[in-house]
Amino acid sequence: MPTIAIVGAGPQLGLAIARTFGSHGHNVALISRNRTKLDDLTGKLAADGITAAAFPADVLDRDALTRALQDAAMRFGGIDVLEYSPVGGIDSTTLTTPSATEPADVQHEMDFQLYGAIAATRAVLPAMREAGTGTLLYTTGAGSINPVPQVGNVNAAAAALRNWAINLHKELAGSGIQAAHVGIDVSIGMSVIPGFPTAQPEEISPVYWELHTTDRDKAERVFSR
């Protein structure tokens, strides 16, 4: 069976993506730093008849992230799809406007978003190249495309990840490996900004399946209302 590794697996979008791919016959490797939450997610997937396993790792610890993906590949016999979408918590993310941003404010976000994505990709891409097939998907908020001042430092790092992912798509063209960026221009589950559109994670997750299957020529999809 093919396997998807979801880095930054959360109870909303991560779980929805896992269910979408699991319902199409994929094993699911879940990677994030909280073991208790991962165990809860694997339990929910098992109840749906989906084979899943947890591999705790913090994306800021690139060696641990690499080991987790290697362990997942060993457990399932390889990784066919990588989805990278870590979500920072209020306790770890300081939001700054562009004019108030210090280099350190962007550095943390670069570690979290871009550098974590690069480390994860380096852990799985060699085997995909050898197989001549694979899918690499990277998620950001739509501020990576149309930034807003209130989250200037987060948008800057997200834009860097978007740029890198689209460039990776160009590099891998013709190799059998799909790389793409997903920009999410809604609040997921519930509105956190008055008047901002919302969507349920189950409405968004099919975008990832389409990029893996029918939209393999596309470098980017944006989900919006």
Side-chain angles (χ1 to χ4, degrees):
M1 292 175 63
T3 297
I4 180 172
I6 302 175
V7 179
Q12 294 198 72
L13 185 57
L15 179 59
I17 294 170
R19 282 175 166 154
T20 294
F21 278 79
S23 68
H24 287 90
H26 282 61
N27 298 316
V28 179
L30 300 175
I31 299 170
S32 72
R33 62 183 177 177
N34 190 310
R35 178 72 197 223
T36 300
K37 291 181 180 179
L38 286 178
D39 288 341
D40 180 62
L41 295 178
T42 56
K44 290 178 178 178
L45 293 171
D48 293 336
I50 297 169
T51 300
F55 301 89
D58 189 332
V59 299
L60 295 175
D61 185 339
R62 290 189 277 279
D63 289 339
L65 176 57
T66 298
R67 286 194 300 271
L69 286 163
Q70 291 171 340
D71 290 345
M74 184 173 297
R75 165 70 171 78
F76 290 118
I79 293 173
D80 304 274
V81 183
L82 171 71
E83 193 282 318
Y84 187 87
S85 56
V87 178
I90 299 299
D91 59 334
S92 62
T93 303
T94 300
L95 305 179
T96 62
T97 62
S99 64
T101 298
E102 297 281 352
D105 297 322
V106 177
Q107 182 62 56
H108 175 270
E109 289 301 314
M110 291 290 283
D111 284 337
F112 191 67
Q113 297 194 61
L114 178 62
Y115 302 155
I118 291 173
T121 302
R122 289 179 63 84
V124 302
L125 183 55
M128 290 182 179
R129 285 189 185 276
E130 185 174 347
T133 186
T135 301
L136 304 161
L137 304 173
Y138 309 91
T139 304
T140 72
S144 62
I145 304 167
N146 183 23
V148 293
Q150 293 88 341
V151 288
N153 60 321
V154 175
N155 287 170
L161 174 54
R162 174 183 180 249
N163 178 286
W164 180 81
I166 292 173
N167 213 14
L168 181 62
H169 175 91
K170 294 178 180 180
E171 179 189 355
L172 295 175
S175 70
I177 303 169
Q178 159 71 326
H181 168 251
V182 180
I184 300 178
D185 194 20
V186 294
S187 292
I188 301 175
M190 60 181 293
S191 178
V192 294
I193 302 173
F196 195 71
T198 64
Q200 296 306 308
E202 294 78 14
E203 298 177 87
I204 304 170
S205 59
V207 168
Y208 295 82
W209 181 251
E210 290 160 9
L211 285 166
H212 175 55
T213 54
T214 59
D215 288 349
R216 294 186 66 81
D217 60 329
K218 294 184 178 178
E220 181 171 66
R221 287 279 304 271
V222 178
F223 185 94
S224 62
R225 291 295 197 194

